[in-house]
């Protein structure tokens, strides 16, 4: 594992019936340590989190943030499929990945 040398967000995306959804764009925006963050991922590329999994690296160290990052799902045409979801990170090497799963209602 990368331990203290990695901070990220990961998870899975499911449709209304609970089936995994591939090829959706996952966008994280906001600020970490007063630095702007804009990072992209694609569902289905991070199988270690399960079918429809995604993983996005946000930093090279475990960094605390509060209400300064948000994640949104988009289709391949750039149409938003979710409202932005705000999330926090912690400066703890054992809690350096935030798991956020999405499911269509």
């Amino acid at each position: 594992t990368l331990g203290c040398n990695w901070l990220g967000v990961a998870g899975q995306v499911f449709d209304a019936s609970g089936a995994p959804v591939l090829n959706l764009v996952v966008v994280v925006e906001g600020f970490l340590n007063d630095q702007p963050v804009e990072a992209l991922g694609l569902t289905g590329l991070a199988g270690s989190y399960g079918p429809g999994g995604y993983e996005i690296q946000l930093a090279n160290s475990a960094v605390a943030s509060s209400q300064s990052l948000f994640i949104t799902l988009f289709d391949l045409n750039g149409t938003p499929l979710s409202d932005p979801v705000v999330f926090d990170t912690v400066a703890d090497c054992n809690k350096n990945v935030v798991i956020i799963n999405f499911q269509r209602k």
Side-chain angles (χ1 to χ4, degrees):
T1 69
L2 294 173
C4 287
N5 298 318
W6 195 87
L7 175 69
V9 59
Q12 294 174 270
V13 178
F14 304 98
D15 66 15
S17 66
V21 181
L22 306 180
N23 299 316
L24 295 181
V25 178
V26 186
V27 178
V28 176
E29 296 175 290
F31 292 89
L32 267 180
N33 282 344
D34 297 322
Q35 296 297 312
V37 170
E38 185 170 28
L40 303 174
L42 192 68
T43 63
L45 292 183
S48 60
Y49 295 97
Y54 69 91
E55 178 182 77
I56 302 170
Q57 182 172 350
L58 301 175
N60 292 321
S61 62
V63 177
S65 69
S66 178
Q67 306 293 294
S68 67
L69 293 168
F70 60 94
I71 186 169
T72 310
L73 280 181
F74 294 87
D75 66 16
L76 292 176
N77 295 318
T79 304
L81 300 177
S82 75
D83 290 330
V85 176
V86 176
F87 66 98
D88 299 338
T89 60
V90 294
D92 181 333
C93 301
N94 295 312
K95 298 178 182 175
N96 61 344
V97 61
V98 177
I99 302 294
I100 299 176
N101 294 325
F102 289 90
Q103 182 163 8
R104 181 178 289 278
K105 293 186 177 197

